[in-house]
Amino acid sequence: MSKIDLVLRELHRSENSLARTLLLMADRHRAEHEVFHVARDIAGWSQEHVERIVACAERRGLHISRSASAGAPAVVERVVQRASTAVTSRPETGLLLLADLRRLHRKAAGVSLDWEVLAQAAQAMKERDVFELASSCHPQTLRQMRWANAQLKVHAPQVIAS
Amino acid sequence: MRVDATSAGLSGTSGSDRIARPWGDRTPYGPGDEWPARTDVFLADGIGADDVERWVRTASVLHSNGDAMDIAVAGGRIVGVRGRAEDRVNRGRLGPKDLYGWQANNSPDRLRRPLVREGGRLVETDWDTAMARVVSRTRELLDARGPSAIGFYTSGQLFLEEYYTLAAIGHGAIGTNHMDGNTRLCTASAAAALKETFACDGQPGSYTDVDHADVIALFGHNAAETQSVLWSRILDRLAGPQPPRIVCVDPRGTPVAQAARSGGVHLAPLPGTNVALMNALLHQIIANDWVDQEYVDAHTVGYAELRDRVAQCPPEWAAQVCRVPAEDIRAAARVLGTAERLLSTVLQGVYQSHQASAAAVQVNNLHLIQGMLGRPGCGILQMNGQPTAQNTRECGADGDMSGFRNWSNGAHVTDLARHWNLDPFQIPHMSPPTHAMQIFRNVEQGTIALLWVSGTNPAVSLPELPRIRSVLARPFLVVQDIFLTETAELADVVLPAATWGEKTGCFTNVDRTVHLSDKAVEPPGEARPDLDIFLDFARRMDFRDRGGLPFPQWHDAESAFDAWAASTETRPCDYTGLSHARLRAAPSGIQWPCNAEHPDGTERLYGDGRFFSHPDECESYGRDLVTGAPLDLTEYRALNPDAKAILKAAEYLPPHEPIVDEYPFALITGRTLYHFHTRTKTGRTPQLQAAAPDVWVECSRADAARLGLDEGDLAEVSTARGSIRARARIGGIRDGVLFVPFHYGYWDTTDDAHDRAANELTPTDWDPVSKQPLFKTAAARITRVSPATGPAPAPTTAASYPVTAGVPPTAGATAETRGARR
């Protein structure tokens, strides 16, 4: 397997994981309505990226299982998360939100770096198909990161000050 | 019913029933002509023109049009109104709410004394006792928890001087970030769309664009009901030579839609699909090269991205998403793309729907790519919902900073602090001012412990009322209003306010026209102007500026206006050329910017293709149209270094609450011509109340036939949030969509049931860019409860017209025969 295929595999894993993180986050913070809705909207971007990575890999003769694709979080995970959202009116849920946003930002940053690596390599190796994949997906990853950062800026003052 | 429909009759020189004929007689005119004057008058029964002792000038506060009028005073009471023929906005015309709504001022159930909660009940008290409670709770919280424990939720109906004072007290003296207006519900997306495109709030167009346009496009804007005098102006063009063609986007068969069907185009998309429709219209404009490339190159950035985005959105694709014929989309695009002078207006059908700001921005794009801006007839009117919403925005009482300053630009904050003579660190600017929906979330979590509500009624107007009622039960709640509203009933302290006609101040309409509203009569009992209440609070709190002087440094409406005007120097909303004296002397309202350079005001913005969008000057660096995340200075400077307008592309996203088998209808809520907001005033106005006495639900003929629903049947409408009961109006709405007016709460019902307000049904979801709640994108079902006893209590004159025979027309003369349900 070429090393660029390894990067594709890694991106497939990390985008999958990012999509799952966003969906879990939405589930955990249903009472934070904007977090809930936007997290689900932009999880769609990661799910689409996963599909496009699989298709690109297939064109290169590399098979990546779709079964690992980002879907709904596993049942056990959902039960765990649901317990934390039962209390919608306690300030403590705010700290949980900050921790989740921080985790999301780090995860999206990881995916962003993976796209960076892929784009650089594809350019060097004249792999146009891969380069175009990276160029069209990477901006949305950056928007996911900026969203996590923006939400953190909005929520942190009230959570910490109160 | 508390109101007696027979207590006030119709008289005066207008001589016609303006309930039955809301837009009055036609005065046709042609393109480029001045709109002819027509003076509308209404005086109380038994009062003739000779009985009027004084005429006192003002403008309307029961919609956002800004109709100029004089109040008739006799015996210390308001006895009628007369339109001001000299005024640029209405040329003497008044709408039904203008003509009749003043009677609510004289209503016997006005709040006359402060109330405080004792043993679970609200009891009358004096001002000292009431204010002492507010002050001591504020002090306790400031000491124990700091300014972030205190929130303010204000209105779109106070005066400019009051908003500026509230902003100074909240953002300045207390230093809390938590201040917004109910303008969040009606006009936030207008402001957001202007900030995305022009990097600054400020209406580009003018009402006089109606006089010149050859195409007028109304996007989700039922002007016939929300701004009836503006619609009269359009009707007069339609009745004159070379009438404009109308493009209407609305799922209901509004009067606008009916006007569009002759020579124009009516598109009735499924709710929640506006971005898909707009992208397809732009697709056609670009594909047919109806583009002013020279203007685009000279004055905009972002064209390539917009072109690439809409290239993926052909009419056939949008037709599937919006469920409208592709040929209608092409026809509408042809009308828009071949216009010589295009005027577009936008309102709640866009602003309260899924992807609100993204869709409103595409209307701006429609004008920019055709270079249709800043010339007579070429205008954009991103409308307002409320009479003084523009001032809530300008003055910074609504999640903006005073004077369209940029909260993320340190120099702007420092400049504001200089005007206030406060430490810049005192003014919160670590993140955008907290929007209303987040304020209520903070109250729900208990991190805001004192909420001060002025001039609005969230217990009826906010979405998902079962949740809102539980939220309002949590904080120390101060409510400042003129009636004991549904919200006031939940308060710990109720402060009785004076209203329009009982206090002096200014306000600004949607086309930047500033009017002075003078005090005509004394307020009832001990009620006080909102300005006096805010200043009294500030003095009791002993707020001081850096020089040790009492803060705010002003003491009445005129000095507040002067302080405000001084603070707007060099800002886009420049009021430095205005004063109370100037406005009192001028025959007509004056449009800002008004300064030494433009002493008579400014009719249109951006005529020179120059914008207030330089990184150092702009109000906003913009936001991501999907996530709502703000851009930072570096990103903005890279995007738009040379102060151009910004063409922002948007991808269509499906609505968050899809239509499913259990909830097979799209539910939209909205307004009727005869009521304003939660009916606190219009429900106490006999003619208006009789014209639309109770809630109804609109359903199409085909859907009704399928469900076995007849005109007037009692129906239950349900969503995942709750249920209401309403009489069915079989009307001109598109198939698959239900409409319920949002005005009807519970102050005039006789039982304790919560089964009437449309907001029992609406979801808690908002546009991530403007933070405006979505009242027009929900999934619902409707079932028949019991047969009709008569027609639905819906007006027949406008969008809620019946399609079945046998419904008597709405008329003032028959008002007393139309009672309320309960």
Side-chain angles (χ1 to χ4, degrees), chain B residues 103-459:
Chain B
Q103 297 166 99
N105 275 41
N106 299 338
S107 188
D109 59 344
R110 283 284 301 275
L111 287 171
R112 286 156 194 276
R113 297 196 69 202
L115 308 172
V116 290
R117 192 162 293 279
E118 288 290 350
R121 287 178 50 246
L122 284 171
V123 296
E124 284 195 0
T125 189
D126 54 41
W127 275 99
D128 276 338
T129 306
M131 291 305 285
R133 289 203 186 186
V134 179
V135 166
S136 74
R137 189 74 186 118
T138 307
R139 283 227 175 88
E140 269 170 41
L141 285 168
L142 281 176
D143 291 346
R145 297 166 57 176
S148 64
I150 295 164
F152 293 90
Y153 184 54
T154 188
S155 176
Q157 298 157 57
L158 305 188
F159 292 171
L160 173 160
E161 295 81 356
E162 293 164 337
Y163 295 132
Y164 186 59
T165 302
L166 183 61
I169 289 172
H171 288 312
I174 291 177
T176 177
N177 209 22
H178 309 318
M179 178 178 296
D180 202 358
N182 65 5
T183 51
R184 184 65 57 186
L185 317 180
C186 72
T187 188
S189 301
L194 295 170
K195 288 183 215 172
E196 291 305 317
T197 301
F198 304 110
C200 192
D201 198 347
Q203 189 71 266
S206 166
Y207 284 164
T208 51
D209 288 329
V210 172
D211 308 346
H212 301 275
D214 69 332
V215 174
I216 304 178
L218 300 96
F219 296 93
H221 179 202
N222 181 9
E225 300 197 57
T226 53
Q227 286 87 17
S228 66
V229 168
L230 179 63
W231 183 241
S232 294
R233 193 171 194 143
I234 294 173
L235 286 176
D236 284 346
R237 275 295 317 276
L238 290 172
Q242 296 171 263
R245 286 178 295 174
I246 304 290
V247 174
C248 170
V249 177
D250 201 311
R252 298 169 77 205
T254 62
V256 180
Q258 291 164 42
R261 285 173 198 154
S262 57
V265 183
H266 173 213
L267 300 170
L270 267 189
T273 65
N274 290 325
V275 167
L277 181 67
M278 291 308 306
N279 280 355
L281 292 172
L282 291 167
H283 173 103
Q284 284 301 101
I285 305 268
I286 291 176
N288 287 289
D289 198 22
W290 293 317
V291 174
D292 182 345
Q293 198 62 49
E294 204 174 313
Y295 187 92
V296 167
D297 293 343
H299 301 297
T300 71
V301 294
Y303 180 69
E305 196 189 330
L306 178 70
R307 185 193 57 208
D308 294 349
R309 167 65 59 191
V310 303
Q312 306 161 33
C313 308
E316 290 71 21
W317 166 80
Q320 295 289 318
V321 175
C322 310
R323 310 270 175 85
V324 295
E327 55 266 35
D328 288 1
I329 298 175
R330 275 192 288 269
R334 189 170 305 114
V335 174
L336 297 169
T338 58
E340 286 174 20
R341 294 173 305 282
L342 171 65
L343 169 64
S344 293
T345 71
V346 190
L347 194 59
Q348 309 306 3
V350 174
Y351 300 156
Q352 294 183 339
S353 193
H354 176 61
Q355 294 196 281
S357 305
V361 160
Q362 304 316 312
V363 177
N364 296 341
N365 291 345
L366 178 67
H367 281 255
L368 285 171
I369 65 173
Q370 299 188 82
M372 297 242 181
L373 198 64
R375 289 182 280 126
C378 300
I380 300 169
L381 293 171
Q382 298 277 359
M383 301 297 294
N384 299 344
Q386 289 184 78
T388 71
Q390 188 63 43
N391 307 107
T392 326
R393 274 148 66 177
E394 292 163 9
C395 297
D398 75 331
D400 288 314
M401 292 203 75
S402 304
F404 293 162
R405 286 177 178 82
N406 188 340
W407 60 268
S408 51
N409 182 334
H412 286 201
V413 178
T414 303
D415 183 55
L416 182 61
R418 179 177 62 82
H419 282 285
W420 286 350
N421 197 23
L422 297 175
D423 180 350
F425 199 65
Q426 173 67 15
I427 302 172
H429 56 286
M430 60 279 173
S431 58
T434 315
H435 61 90
M437 299 305 288
Q438 190 63 44
I439 288 176
F440 280 84
R441 172 64 182 149
N442 293 347
V443 172
E444 182 174 41
Q445 289 196 299
T447 65
I448 290 178
L450 185 156
L451 183 66
W452 188 332
V453 176
S454 47
T456 187
N457 192 11

Side-chain angles (χ1 to χ4, degrees), chain B residues 57-59 65-68 84 86-90 160 205-207 390-391 394 506-517 561 564 572-605:
Chain B
R57 71 186 288 174
T58 181
N65 208 54
D67 301 337
R84 292 182 58 84
E86 311 93 320
D87 198 90
R88 60 177 306 281
V89 169
N90 54 323
L160 173 160
S206 166
Y207 284 164
Q390 188 63 43
N391 307 107
E394 292 163 9
C506 294
F507 47 90
T508 308
N509 78 348
V510 74
D511 85 339
R512 293 173 282 103
T513 305
V514 187
H515 286 116
L516 176 74
S517 178
F561 186 95
W564 156 250
C573 50
D574 192 335
Y575 278 70
T576 51
L578 295 173
S579 64
H580 279 195
R582 171 86 206 279
L583 288 163
R584 201 171 277 125
S588 164
I590 299 173
Q591 288 173 289
W592 65 248
C594 177
N595 50 24
E597 195 184 337
H598 304 283
D600 297 320
T602 308
E603 192 165 25
R604 295 179 183 83
L605 301 184

Side-chain angles (χ1 to χ4, degrees), chain B residues 444-697:
Chain B
E444 182 174 41
Q445 289 196 299
T447 65
I448 290 178
L450 185 156
L451 183 66
W452 188 332
V453 176
S454 47
T456 187
N457 192 11
V460 180
S461 57
L462 283 182
E464 200 178 349
L465 290 181
R467 168 175 177 260
I468 292 302
R469 283 188 289 268
S470 75
V471 171
L472 285 170
R474 296 210 61 172
F476 184 82
L477 184 64
V478 181
V479 175
Q480 179 173 321
D481 214 313
I482 69 170
F483 292 106
L484 191 67
T485 62
E486 291 85 340
T487 305
E489 284 177 8
L490 304 171
D492 296 285
V493 176
V494 178
L495 305 174
T499 186
W500 171 92
E502 299 161 357
K503 60 181 185 179
T504 292
C506 294
F507 47 90
T508 308
N509 78 348
V510 74
D511 85 339
R512 293 173 282 103
T513 305
V514 187
H515 286 116
L516 176 74
S517 178
D518 259 327
K519 177 175 171 175
V521 297
E522 290 299 324
E526 297 173 26
R528 303 172 68 187
D530 297 275
L531 178 68
D532 294 13
I533 299 172
F534 293 142
L535 286 174
D536 182 30
F537 170 73
R539 300 298 181 251
R540 289 172 192 262
M541 289 293 296
D542 197 27
F543 296 132
R544 301 272 162 169
D545 70 8
R546 278 196 290 206
L549 289 174
F551 180 84
Q553 297 92 343
W554 49 92
H555 57 274
D556 62 5
E558 190 161 10
S559 56
F561 186 95
D562 291 343
W564 156 250
S567 81
T568 62
E569 189 176 10
T570 75
R571 296 307 301 159
C573 50
D574 192 335
Y575 278 70
T576 51
L578 295 173
S579 64
H580 279 195
R582 171 86 206 279
L583 288 163
R584 201 171 277 125
S588 164
I590 299 173
Q591 288 173 289
W592 65 248
C594 177
N595 50 24
E597 195 184 337
H598 304 283
D600 297 320
T602 308
E603 192 165 25
R604 295 179 183 83
L605 301 184
Y606 310 141
D608 51 4
R610 289 172 21 165
F611 304 96
F612 235 91
S613 59
H614 188 277
D616 297 334
E617 287 183 329
C618 68
E619 180 183 9
S620 168
Y621 303 136
R623 289 174 182 265
D624 186 308
L625 288 186
V626 169
T627 69
L631 273 64
D632 65 24
L633 172 61
T634 316
E635 291 164 325
Y636 181 74
R637 207 184 280 281
L639 170 74
N640 190 24
D642 301 320
K644 295 184 176 182
I646 304 145
L647 294 165
K648 274 206 171 172
E651 64 215 86
Y652 167 70
L653 295 176
H656 294 145
E657 186 163 279
I659 293 159
V660 292
D661 288 348
E662 192 185 356
Y663 297 112
F665 285 90
L667 171 73
I668 56 179
T669 71
R671 275 133 271 271
T672 168
L673 173 60
Y674 302 103
H675 284 301
F676 179 67
H677 215 68
T678 61
R679 290 168 57 253
T680 46
K681 284 183 176 172
T682 53
R684 290 174 170 91
T685 303
Q687 294 89 340
L688 300 173
Q689 171 62 13
D694 203 350
V695 70
W696 71 88
V697 55

Side-chain angles (χ1 to χ4, degrees), chain A residues 54-69:
Chain A
V54 169
C56 178
E58 267 167 14
R59 287 194 294 276
R60 302 170 55 76
L62 173 72
H63 180 69
I64 302 179
S65 166
R66 271 197 167 77
S67 64
S69 287

